Amino acid sequence: MFHVKQFDVIVIGGGHAGSEAAHAAARMGANTALVTMKLEGIGVMSCNPAIGGLGKGHLVREIDALDGVMGRVADAAGIQFRLLNRRKGPAVQGPRTQADRQVYQREMQSIMENTPRLSIIVGEVTDFLMQDDRVAGVVLGDGTEIAAKSVILTTGTFLRGVIHIGDTSYSGGRMGDKASSKLAERIDSFGLPLGRLKTGTPPRLDGPTIAWDQLSVQEADDEPVLFSFMSKAPALRQIACGITHTNAKTHDIIRENLERSAMYGGHIDGVGPRYCPSIEDKIVRFADKDSHQIFLEPEGLEDHTVYPNGISTSLPQDVQEDYVHSIAGLEQAKIIQPGYAIEYDYVDPRALNADLSLRDVPGLYLAGQINGTTGYEEAAAQGLVAGLNAARMAQGGDVVHFRRNTSYIGVMIDDLTTRGVTEPYRMFTSRAEFRLSLRADNADQRLTKFGVDLGCVGDARRMSYQTKKEKLENGRALLSGSSYTPKEIAATGIRINQDGTRRTAFQLLAFPDVVFNDVKRLDAALEEMEPEIQEQLSRDALYANYIQRQQQDVEKLRKDEKHAIPSDFSYADVTGLSAELTSKLEKVRPSDLAQAGRIDGMTPAGLALILGRIRFLEKKSA
């Protein structure tokens, strides 16, 4: 064995968590090494070729606000930008893009290769260097030893990964890549609490063999909403996706072959993601439905591969061909790669500190699917947290904490480390009790100054943020500087009660029917404000009063946690409580709100609904 030079931080794995972790550590000034089994594995989109969505898009914006890379790469590779929930309020809107898989991979690799203080090492990590009970580096398969002050493990689905297609199973981290089994043996020696999870993919289809003219389509947004606060316009041509549906014949084929599915045939022990079920799961769990929607998502502008989002499976290939050909528009579709399920080890995230370091293994950080999460965005956000903290530890600095009240990243880390997981964790806006203030549009206002103070934000973003911040402050001062009588307000055409109350233009923007063009009539100086600043201030004004009330509700709820829950309480009668939480609560039957709050997936918003129902019943019976 021989030593290579000492690094501050070593990151194992070049996926979404590893890339973000390595870039974050290097931005912090740490001498960083990214170890990957193969160079072309950096930035691979293992599953669907898309970034963002509800909750997930918020995470990407927060990563970007801290000068991370996922948002910029997604903008460079985006071929269909859509803002989800556009008709709803900004708090629950989520940016999403279909991505060109090859461009995404190429852009991520380019950034990694050109990042100062970041070295890329190709090799397989088979063991850790140890100093007593502390991780002090890694050992590669060829015997090379690389020392480091801190190590980040981001194995994704590679830790003892097993691929399942029907009754055929074999070791693999994803299709075409070998699993990480030797490293799993070292993990075992730490005595960590391990579990088994699974995820899956659909069969990939050959685009030219799809009857696109028979399908309805989903176009990109006319006014694309991008991920990075530094991006101005899409880099690539925008495309449409096709839409089709399963039918009764499809369901019959699957139902008749359930015992041949790896999952229903007893070959898989791992728990799959509730909100991204396989097509077998859908047929069994939603037996009353005779149709499920499928989005046909092209994987790139120059790639004829199509990802049929909605039919992931572990059925044998012959059954996959039968059910695919039963679907409208796919009668002649050729399967390029069969769908498969993958089962892998994860570490119970309750073994982690809030900085994603392991409590019982000093020097080692975990990020991504190894912590029980699912999705590129959740992985990248964890990579960011681990990278920042591993660098701080190597440099002798304090821990970087992300709080629930300031970021979705904080919500996720708190959920994972305090509640653990019973299924692959996925981010939703409903998980955040402060979601009215944790919007995708204001991620830079919430986090960029925090990143500047940490030292992880570069000069270009810092100056851009500062310029925007000054414009917002000047704009808010202008909107709040003068107040107007109801008569003066009504003279501009704004409908308002003649109640004698003077109001500022900022307060008027909180009215549901008032837009910025309306308040411009009150002050000619508002005409000079840039459209981007007008839009941001309008959103801030819309939520100002709600956010204040939200804070008061949360503080009040903290005082009410000892409130008893009646033994015969019906959670099914709590309006607004998700079916998932209702099911868990009915099973656990917590005795008080504090105990209910420790149930996996419970949110302060859910507790508030329960408390409200209890008080209603108490008042009713008084």
Side-chain angles (χ1 to χ4, degrees):
M1 294 185 181
F2 55 93
H3 286 272
V4 179
K5 68 175 183 175
Q6 167 94 31
F7 286 93
D8 294 320
V9 178
I10 293 175
V11 180
I12 304 169
H16 300 282
S19 296
E20 208 67 62
H23 197 271
R27 289 201 311 280
M28 291 288 284
N31 189 17
T32 306
L34 173 61
V35 184
T36 177
M37 287 191 187
K38 52 186 181 181
L39 186 62
E40 58 270 26
I42 294 174
V44 168
M45 305 182 90
S46 304
C47 194
N48 65 316
I51 295 291
L54 303 178
K56 291 172 174 284
H58 291 68
L59 288 174
V60 181
R61 281 283 181 85
E62 291 181 354
I63 292 167
D64 182 72
L66 292 162
D67 222 6
V69 292
M70 177 171 270
R72 282 179 278 161
V73 175
D75 287 345
I79 54 177
Q80 195 206 57
F81 287 94
R82 296 185 64 244
L83 182 65
L84 306 188
N85 275 353
R86 185 179 283 272
R87 294 180 181 178
K88 296 185 179 181
V92 292
Q93 292 175 350
R96 183 187 190 273
T97 188
Q98 193 70 22
D100 185 306
R101 191 186 293 275
Q102 294 176 3
V103 174
Y104 190 97
Q105 185 178 0
R106 184 178 70 233
E107 289 291 324
M108 186 64 79
Q109 288 175 13
S110 176
I111 288 176
M112 292 298 114
E113 290 171 347
N114 292 286
T115 297
R117 296 178 295 278
L118 176 58
S119 302
I120 297 174
I121 298 173
V122 177
E124 180 185 1
V125 174
T126 56
D127 202 355
F128 294 115
L129 288 177
M130 304 296 295
Q131 288 181 352
D132 297 324
D133 64 345
R134 182 181 188 82
V135 170
V138 301
V139 180
L140 303 186
D142 64 0
T144 300
E145 295 182 351
I146 309 174
K149 297 174 184 176
S150 56
V151 176
I152 305 172
L153 183 60
T154 70
T155 51
T157 59
F158 281 67
L159 203 61
R160 254 192 295 258
V162 176
I163 290 174
H164 299 272
I165 305 176
D167 58 4
T168 301
S169 301
Y170 56 91
S171 175
R174 60 175 165 243
M175 188 67 79
D177 290 314
K178 65 179 182 176
S180 180
S181 298
K182 291 182 180 178
L183 192 58
E185 295 173 8
R186 167 58 84 174
I187 298 293
D188 286 343
S189 75
F190 293 145
L192 298 172
L194 299 176
R196 202 82 172 140
L197 293 174
K198 73 131 184 132
T199 188
T201 69
R204 306 302 205 277
L205 307 180
D206 185 14
T209 64
I210 295 173
W212 296 98
D213 58 342
Q214 298 179 21
L215 305 174
S216 55
V217 298
Q218 182 183 70
E219 300 285 352
D221 285 349
D222 293 332
E223 298 179 6
V225 174
L226 307 184
F227 286 102
S228 178
F229 291 97
M230 304 294 282
S231 298
K232 301 304 178 187
L236 300 178
R237 172 171 57 86
Q238 300 296 285
I239 56 123
C241 292
I243 300 175
T244 186
H245 298 81
T246 61
N247 52 56
K249 183 180 179 181
T250 312
H251 295 196
D252 287 342
I253 293 170
I254 293 168
R255 210 174 281 116
E256 290 165 7
N257 289 278
L258 276 177
E259 75 282 355
R260 298 183 65 196
S261 160
M263 184 172 63
Y264 285 93
H267 303 291
I268 296 178
D269 298 321
V271 180
R274 176 188 298 258
Y275 297 101
C276 189
S278 67
I279 188 63
E280 299 99 292
D281 255 347
K282 291 180 182 179
I283 301 307
V284 172
R285 284 166 49 188
F286 309 110
D288 56 322
K289 292 196 68 173
D290 56 10
S291 179
H292 295 282
Q293 188 168 248
I294 303 167
F295 288 96
L296 300 173
E297 302 173 343
E299 296 200 353
L301 298 179
E302 306 300 328
D303 188 345
H304 57 80
T305 307
V306 171
Y307 184 96
N309 196 336
I311 54 171
S312 65
T313 185
S314 63
L315 284 161
Q317 188 165 350
D318 62 311
V319 180
Q320 293 185 38
E321 290 177 353
D322 287 345
Y323 84 64
V324 165
H325 293 154
S326 72
I327 297 168
L330 306 184
E331 292 87 353
Q332 305 300 319
K334 178 184 176 183
I335 293 179
I336 296 175
Q337 174 186 296
Y340 62 91
I342 183 163
E343 193 178 17
Y344 55 94
D345 282 357
Y346 79 99
V347 175
D348 186 333
R350 288 172 294 188
L352 297 166
N353 295 308
D355 61 354
L356 297 186
S357 65
L358 280 164
R359 275 192 295 276
D360 296 336
V361 190
L364 184 59
Y365 296 75
L366 305 183
Q369 283 177 284
I370 191 172
N371 292 337
T373 61
T374 182
Y376 307 145
E377 304 82 0
E378 290 86 349
Q382 290 172 75
L384 175 78
V385 174
L388 295 176
N389 278 292
R392 286 285 279 245
M393 192 273 280
Q395 296 163 343
D398 295 331
V399 169
V400 180
H401 281 299
F402 287 83
R403 308 293 183 185
R404 292 190 72 97
N405 63 332
T406 58
S407 66
Y408 272 86
I409 295 174
V411 171
M412 176 177 65
I413 300 300
D414 185 57
D415 282 350
L416 292 173
T417 58
T418 62
R419 295 172 181 159
V421 298
T422 55
E423 61 193 36
Y425 179 96
R426 178 177 180 176
M427 180 51 71
F428 294 105
T429 54
S430 60
R431 295 191 188 274
E433 63 272 31
F434 296 99
R435 59 183 170 275
L436 297 184
S437 55
L438 305 184
R439 307 189 307 274
D441 65 85
N442 69 0
D444 57 340
Q445 294 180 71
R446 291 184 280 114
L447 294 174
T448 300
K449 176 62 165 57
F450 177 62
V452 170
D453 293 342
L454 283 177
C456 70
V457 172
D459 289 341
R461 186 178 299 271
R462 178 180 56 78
M463 290 187 289
S464 175
Y465 162 75
Q466 190 61 40
T467 299
K468 180 180 177 182
K469 179 174 178 285
E470 290 172 1
K471 290 178 179 178
L472 287 171
E473 288 174 349
N474 293 337
R476 184 185 284 260
L478 191 59
L479 288 167
S480 303
S482 301
S483 62
Y484 306 90
T485 66
K487 186 176 181 180
E488 290 172 323
I489 294 168
T492 68
I494 297 174
R495 296 172 59 185
I496 190 167
N497 290 334
Q498 296 299 309
D499 56 5
T501 303
R502 297 181 70 91
R503 293 176 175 86
T504 65
F506 188 77
Q507 289 172 322
L508 289 172
L509 284 171
F511 285 37
D513 298 325
V514 175
V515 296
F516 205 93
N517 281 339
D518 295 329
V519 302
K520 282 180 182 178
R521 304 187 193 105
L522 291 167
D523 188 340
L526 294 173
E527 291 281 356
E528 306 300 319
M529 201 178 295
E530 296 174 17
E532 178 193 6
I533 303 302
Q534 293 180 22
E535 189 173 0
Q536 187 61 60
L537 288 170
S538 295
R539 294 193 192 104
D540 291 345
L542 178 65
Y543 285 105
N545 292 331
Y546 294 106
I547 291 169
Q548 186 176 2
R549 268 182 256 153
Q550 175 183 262
Q551 292 278 25
Q552 293 170 350
D553 288 343
V554 170
E555 289 302 320
K556 186 178 178 183
L557 183 62
R558 285 174 180 154
K559 298 175 184 177
D560 291 324
E561 283 189 334
K562 294 182 180 178
H563 204 108
I565 301 176
S567 58
D568 60 348
F569 185 77
S570 173
Y571 294 97
D573 293 337
V574 181
T575 303
L577 204 61
S578 70
E580 175 191 1
L581 275 177
T582 299
S583 172
K584 290 178 179 178
L585 287 161
E586 292 285 3
K587 183 178 180 181
V588 175
R589 305 299 308 178
S591 59
D592 57 32
L593 285 174
Q595 188 180 2
R598 291 192 290 272
I599 290 175
D600 175 39
M602 177 56 75
T603 66
L607 290 176
L609 292 172
I610 295 169
L611 179 59
R613 178 66 181 173
I614 292 172
R615 285 185 168 156
F616 169 78
L617 294 173
E618 288 174 345
K619 187 176 180 180
K620 187 177 179 181
S621 61

